[in-house]
Amino acid sequence: MRDQYGRDICYLRISVTDRCNLRCVYCMPEEGVAWMPHGQILTYEQIVRVVEAASRLGVSHIRLTGGEPLVRPQLYRLVEMVKGVAGIESVGLTTNGVLLTEQLSQLRQAGLDGVNLSLDTLDPQQFAAITRRAGLLPQVLQGLEAAAGTPGLTVKVNCVPTQLNGDQVVPLARLAQQREISVRFIELMPIGLGQDRHGLTQKQVMEQLTDAFGAPMPCARPKGAGPGAYVTFPGFTGRVGFISALSHQFCHLCNRVRLTADGHLKTCLQYQDGVDLKPYLEEGGAPQFLESAMEQAIYYKPAGHHFTTQPQAGDEKHNMNQIGG
Ligand code: SAM
Ligand code: SF4
């Protein structure tokens, strides 16, 4: 469906949990996390009802995220259920990769189309400092190799470059030299704990890449590409992408809405705007009420974020693990 600004909303990101096995410094506090009560978290059956309504409204692409989606038991079941909804063309997963190797083949068999793996550094000490968990980098890299080696699976590596891992831009981009994957640099957004840190800009990242690899070259966009910009470099098999919400604002192209793990349909990352779908998901609730609540919220999706200006009333107060990044 089209929103009030004529944007075609075809993409729903679903957070399946706010729990996580890492504690990335720009995403979650180390301790004292106020978890969503288990009873508030949507069941797989409730998520599917939202996907069915979304599909009727024109959504065709789904991404499962969190928190860490792979800590939710039997996530492959949800992949299968969502993939089976009429009108859903692709189901992707955004993960930190810690549990990926052991679940990948079940997820793929269930119909998973793509994996976005978050990886900010190839340095074990930096990994421990950023994620506040030591010793897990080898598992993540194993997950990446397993995904990159899975025929037909679209694989993207997502890095948020900050002052903590600025020296990792070139080593991470090298992952796309030999592999048919995209390595994407995401500008840190001032949401939750992201407000306390400084990210590198697309320009700063591109300077490092050009010094190391030469001038960037245009390339085909990967499957399922959103508003990111993609280039390749001489000798590369894969691509490098940029998701630069601050320096290259793309809100006019935004095609997505989000569902939090506790059932809030969120229409823009920056604002609390949206609708609580929980009341429409009670036992026996009529699908048409759910659908019209979603339709109305999507229609009023805000025009765009204001990340580069002062905070306003109505801004999102939660951390990324609670929103579903
Ligand atoms: N746990 C999974 C993972 O890390 O991929 C999925 C959820 S995580 C919130 C999704 C993505 O959001 C990660 O790539 C993470 O780096 C990114 N992220 C978290 N906080 C962010 C922020 N303030 N700005 C930009 N990206 C952020
Ligand atoms: Fe967990 Fe992903 Fe947030 Fe890191 S970015 S703490 S892996 S939810």
Side-chain angles (χ1 to χ4, degrees), residues 22-39:
L22 301 182
R23 291 286 181 281
C24 301
V25 290
Y26 50 77
C27 181
M28 284 177 83
E30 183 161 23
E31 283 172 359
V33 186
W35 302 115
M36 290 174 186
H38 279 292

PDB file of all heavy atoms in Angstrom, residues 22-39:
ATOM      1  N   LEU A  22      24.624 -11.098  23.103  1.00  0.00           N
ATOM      2  CA  LEU A  22      25.712 -10.122  23.152  1.00  0.00           C
ATOM      3  C   LEU A  22      25.180  -8.857  23.834  1.00  0.00           C
ATOM      4  O   LEU A  22      23.975  -8.758  24.112  1.00  0.00           O
ATOM      5  CB  LEU A  22      26.215  -9.792  21.744  1.00  0.00           C
ATOM      6  CG  LEU A  22      26.760 -10.965  20.896  1.00  0.00           C
ATOM      7  CD1 LEU A  22      27.257 -10.460  19.553  1.00  0.00           C
ATOM      8  CD2 LEU A  22      27.859 -11.714  21.631  1.00  0.00           C
ATOM      9  N   ARG A  23      26.071  -7.918  24.068  1.00  0.00           N
ATOM     10  CA  ARG A  23      25.673  -6.644  24.694  1.00  0.00           C
ATOM     11  C   ARG A  23      26.414  -5.503  24.003  1.00  0.00           C
ATOM     12  O   ARG A  23      27.210  -4.809  24.620  1.00  0.00           O
ATOM     13  CB  ARG A  23      26.055  -6.638  26.190  1.00  0.00           C
ATOM     14  CG  ARG A  23      25.274  -7.583  27.068  1.00  0.00           C
ATOM     15  CD  ARG A  23      23.858  -7.058  27.316  1.00  0.00           C
ATOM     16  NE  ARG A  23      23.115  -7.948  28.184  1.00  0.00           N
ATOM     17  CZ  ARG A  23      22.543  -9.082  27.784  1.00  0.00           C
ATOM     18  NH1 ARG A  23      22.632  -9.480  26.530  1.00  0.00           N
ATOM     19  NH2 ARG A  23      21.887  -9.834  28.649  1.00  0.00           N
ATOM     20  N   CYS A  24      26.170  -5.340  22.700  1.00  0.00           N
ATOM     21  CA  CYS A  24      26.916  -4.331  21.944  1.00  0.00           C
ATOM     22  C   CYS A  24      26.733  -2.954  22.578  1.00  0.00           C
ATOM     23  O   CYS A  24      25.610  -2.566  22.918  1.00  0.00           O
ATOM     24  CB  CYS A  24      26.463  -4.322  20.490  1.00  0.00           C
ATOM     25  SG  CYS A  24      26.712  -5.921  19.716  1.00  0.00           S
ATOM     26  N   VAL A  25      27.848  -2.243  22.686  1.00  0.00           N
ATOM     27  CA  VAL A  25      27.841  -1.023  23.503  1.00  0.00           C
ATOM     28  C   VAL A  25      26.892   0.045  22.978  1.00  0.00           C
ATOM     29  O   VAL A  25      26.383   0.850  23.752  1.00  0.00           O
ATOM     30  CB  VAL A  25      29.271  -0.428  23.622  1.00  0.00           C
ATOM     31  CG1 VAL A  25      30.149  -1.314  24.478  1.00  0.00           C
ATOM     32  CG2 VAL A  25      29.897  -0.185  22.265  1.00  0.00           C
ATOM     33  N   TYR A  26      26.645   0.079  21.660  1.00  0.00           N
ATOM     34  CA  TYR A  26      25.781   1.132  21.115  1.00  0.00           C
ATOM     35  C   TYR A  26      24.323   0.674  21.040  1.00  0.00           C
ATOM     36  O   TYR A  26      23.470   1.395  20.521  1.00  0.00           O
ATOM     37  CB  TYR A  26      26.256   1.553  19.712  1.00  0.00           C
ATOM     38  CG  TYR A  26      26.492   0.401  18.762  1.00  0.00           C
ATOM     39  CD1 TYR A  26      25.425  -0.247  18.160  1.00  0.00           C
ATOM     40  CD2 TYR A  26      27.780  -0.051  18.496  1.00  0.00           C
ATOM     41  CE1 TYR A  26      25.620  -1.314  17.322  1.00  0.00           C
ATOM     42  CE2 TYR A  26      27.992  -1.123  17.638  1.00  0.00           C
ATOM     43  CZ  TYR A  26      26.905  -1.751  17.068  1.00  0.00           C
ATOM     44  OH  TYR A  26      27.104  -2.821  16.251  1.00  0.00           O
ATOM     45  N   CYS A  27      24.056  -0.534  21.524  1.00  0.00           N
ATOM     46  CA  CYS A  27      22.711  -1.113  21.387  1.00  0.00           C
ATOM     47  C   CYS A  27      22.031  -1.408  22.718  1.00  0.00           C
ATOM     48  O   CYS A  27      20.850  -1.125  22.892  1.00  0.00           O
ATOM     49  CB  CYS A  27      22.816  -2.389  20.547  1.00  0.00           C
ATOM     50  SG  CYS A  27      21.246  -3.200  20.282  1.00  0.00           S
ATOM     51  N   MET A  28      22.789  -2.025  23.663  1.00  0.00           N
ATOM     52  CA  MET A  28      22.176  -2.457  24.927  1.00  0.00           C
ATOM     53  C   MET A  28      23.052  -2.082  26.102  1.00  0.00           C
ATOM     54  O   MET A  28      24.273  -2.115  25.987  1.00  0.00           O
ATOM     55  CB  MET A  28      22.068  -4.000  24.945  1.00  0.00           C
ATOM     56  CG  MET A  28      20.984  -4.564  24.112  1.00  0.00           C
ATOM     57  SD  MET A  28      21.044  -6.358  24.173  1.00  0.00           S
ATOM     58  CE  MET A  28      20.167  -6.693  25.675  1.00  0.00           C
ATOM     59  N   PRO A  29      22.449  -1.805  27.260  1.00  0.00           N
ATOM     60  CA  PRO A  29      23.288  -1.613  28.449  1.00  0.00           C
ATOM     61  C   PRO A  29      23.903  -2.942  28.883  1.00  0.00           C
ATOM     62  O   PRO A  29      23.393  -4.008  28.523  1.00  0.00           O
ATOM     63  CB  PRO A  29      22.309  -1.102  29.505  1.00  0.00           C
ATOM     64  CG  PRO A  29      20.961  -1.456  29.018  1.00  0.00           C
ATOM     65  CD  PRO A  29      21.025  -1.678  27.544  1.00  0.00           C
ATOM     66  N   GLU A  30      24.973  -2.876  29.633  1.00  0.00           N
ATOM     67  CA  GLU A  30      25.640  -4.111  30.067  1.00  0.00           C
ATOM     68  C   GLU A  30      24.775  -4.876  31.064  1.00  0.00           C
ATOM     69  O   GLU A  30      24.662  -6.082  31.029  1.00  0.00           O
ATOM     70  CB  GLU A  30      26.986  -3.747  30.709  1.00  0.00           C
ATOM     71  CG  GLU A  30      27.783  -4.961  31.118  1.00  0.00           C
ATOM     72  CD  GLU A  30      29.242  -4.637  31.309  1.00  0.00           C
ATOM     73  OE1 GLU A  30      29.570  -3.456  31.549  1.00  0.00           O
ATOM     74  OE2 GLU A  30      30.050  -5.572  31.214  1.00  0.00           O
ATOM     75  N   GLU A  31      24.167  -4.133  31.967  1.00  0.00           N
ATOM     76  CA  GLU A  31      23.346  -4.754  33.023  1.00  0.00           C
ATOM     77  C   GLU A  31      22.066  -3.951  33.223  1.00  0.00           C
ATOM     78  O   GLU A  31      21.937  -2.851  32.691  1.00  0.00           O
ATOM     79  CB  GLU A  31      24.126  -4.756  34.343  1.00  0.00           C
ATOM     80  CG  GLU A  31      25.169  -5.834  34.370  1.00  0.00           C
ATOM     81  CD  GLU A  31      26.078  -5.726  35.572  1.00  0.00           C
ATOM     82  OE1 GLU A  31      25.918  -4.799  36.372  1.00  0.00           O
ATOM     83  OE2 GLU A  31      26.948  -6.598  35.667  1.00  0.00           O
ATOM     84  N   GLY A  32      21.177  -4.518  34.011  1.00  0.00           N
ATOM     85  CA  GLY A  32      19.968  -3.772  34.379  1.00  0.00           C
ATOM     86  C   GLY A  32      18.994  -3.608  33.220  1.00  0.00           C
ATOM     87  O   GLY A  32      18.270  -2.619  33.162  1.00  0.00           O
ATOM     88  N   VAL A  33      18.996  -4.577  32.287  1.00  0.00           N
ATOM     89  CA  VAL A  33      18.080  -4.467  31.155  1.00  0.00           C
ATOM     90  C   VAL A  33      16.661  -4.816  31.632  1.00  0.00           C
ATOM     91  O   VAL A  33      16.474  -5.833  32.304  1.00  0.00           O
ATOM     92  CB  VAL A  33      18.485  -5.447  30.027  1.00  0.00           C
ATOM     93  CG1 VAL A  33      17.631  -5.223  28.796  1.00  0.00           C
ATOM     94  CG2 VAL A  33      19.959  -5.323  29.691  1.00  0.00           C
ATOM     95  N   ALA A  34      15.709  -3.978  31.296  1.00  0.00           N
ATOM     96  CA  ALA A  34      14.308  -4.263  31.652  1.00  0.00           C
ATOM     97  C   ALA A  34      13.710  -5.090  30.509  1.00  0.00           C
ATOM     98  O   ALA A  34      13.308  -4.531  29.490  1.00  0.00           O
ATOM     99  CB  ALA A  34      13.539  -2.969  31.837  1.00  0.00           C
ATOM    100  N   TRP A  35      13.686  -6.413  30.677  1.00  0.00           N
ATOM    101  CA  TRP A  35      13.206  -7.286  29.598  1.00  0.00           C
ATOM    102  C   TRP A  35      11.701  -7.184  29.439  1.00  0.00           C
ATOM    103  O   TRP A  35      10.975  -6.999  30.405  1.00  0.00           O
ATOM    104  CB  TRP A  35      13.559  -8.753  29.895  1.00  0.00           C
ATOM    105  CG  TRP A  35      15.022  -9.017  30.079  1.00  0.00           C
ATOM    106  CD1 TRP A  35      15.638  -9.427  31.227  1.00  0.00           C
ATOM    107  CD2 TRP A  35      16.051  -8.891  29.094  1.00  0.00           C
ATOM    108  NE1 TRP A  35      16.980  -9.559  31.019  1.00  0.00           N
ATOM    109  CE2 TRP A  35      17.268  -9.237  29.714  1.00  0.00           C
ATOM    110  CE3 TRP A  35      16.074  -8.515  27.753  1.00  0.00           C
ATOM    111  CZ2 TRP A  35      18.480  -9.220  29.049  1.00  0.00           C
ATOM    112  CZ3 TRP A  35      17.294  -8.498  27.087  1.00  0.00           C
ATOM    113  CH2 TRP A  35      18.476  -8.846  27.729  1.00  0.00           C
ATOM    114  N   MET A  36      11.233  -7.371  28.212  1.00  0.00           N
ATOM    115  CA  MET A  36       9.794  -7.494  28.003  1.00  0.00           C
ATOM    116  C   MET A  36       9.334  -8.775  28.704  1.00  0.00           C
ATOM    117  O   MET A  36       9.982  -9.819  28.533  1.00  0.00           O
ATOM    118  CB  MET A  36       9.490  -7.677  26.506  1.00  0.00           C
ATOM    119  CG  MET A  36       9.732  -6.434  25.679  1.00  0.00           C
ATOM    120  SD  MET A  36       9.503  -6.800  23.912  1.00  0.00           S
ATOM    121  CE  MET A  36      10.030  -5.243  23.190  1.00  0.00           C
ATOM    122  N   PRO A  37       8.241  -8.728  29.472  1.00  0.00           N
ATOM    123  CA  PRO A  37       7.770  -9.971  30.101  1.00  0.00           C
ATOM    124  C   PRO A  37       7.428 -11.003  29.014  1.00  0.00           C
ATOM    125  O   PRO A  37       6.910 -10.628  27.954  1.00  0.00           O
ATOM    126  CB  PRO A  37       6.506  -9.536  30.839  1.00  0.00           C
ATOM    127  CG  PRO A  37       6.558  -8.043  30.905  1.00  0.00           C
ATOM    128  CD  PRO A  37       7.394  -7.570  29.768  1.00  0.00           C
ATOM    129  N   HIS A  38       7.740 -12.279  29.271  1.00  0.00           N
ATOM    130  CA  HIS A  38       7.496 -13.313  28.250  1.00  0.00           C
ATOM    131  C   HIS A  38       6.056 -13.297  27.744  1.00  0.00           C
ATOM    132  O   HIS A  38       5.800 -13.470  26.565  1.00  0.00           O
ATOM    133  CB  HIS A  38       7.840 -14.704  28.808  1.00  0.00           C
ATOM    134  CG  HIS A  38       9.311 -14.977  28.738  1.00  0.00           C
ATOM    135  ND1 HIS A  38       9.986 -15.140  27.552  1.00  0.00           N
ATOM    136  CD2 HIS A  38      10.241 -15.094  29.708  1.00  0.00           C
ATOM    137  CE1 HIS A  38      11.266 -15.333  27.788  1.00  0.00           C
ATOM    138  NE2 HIS A  38      11.453 -15.314  29.092  1.00  0.00           N
ATOM    139  N   GLY A  39       5.110 -13.035  28.677  1.00  0.00           N
ATOM    140  CA  GLY A  39       3.691 -13.048  28.303  1.00  0.00           C
ATOM    141  C   GLY A  39       3.317 -11.933  27.325  1.00  0.00           C
ATOM    142  O   GLY A  39       2.254 -11.975  26.709  1.00  0.00           O
TER     143      GLY A  39
END
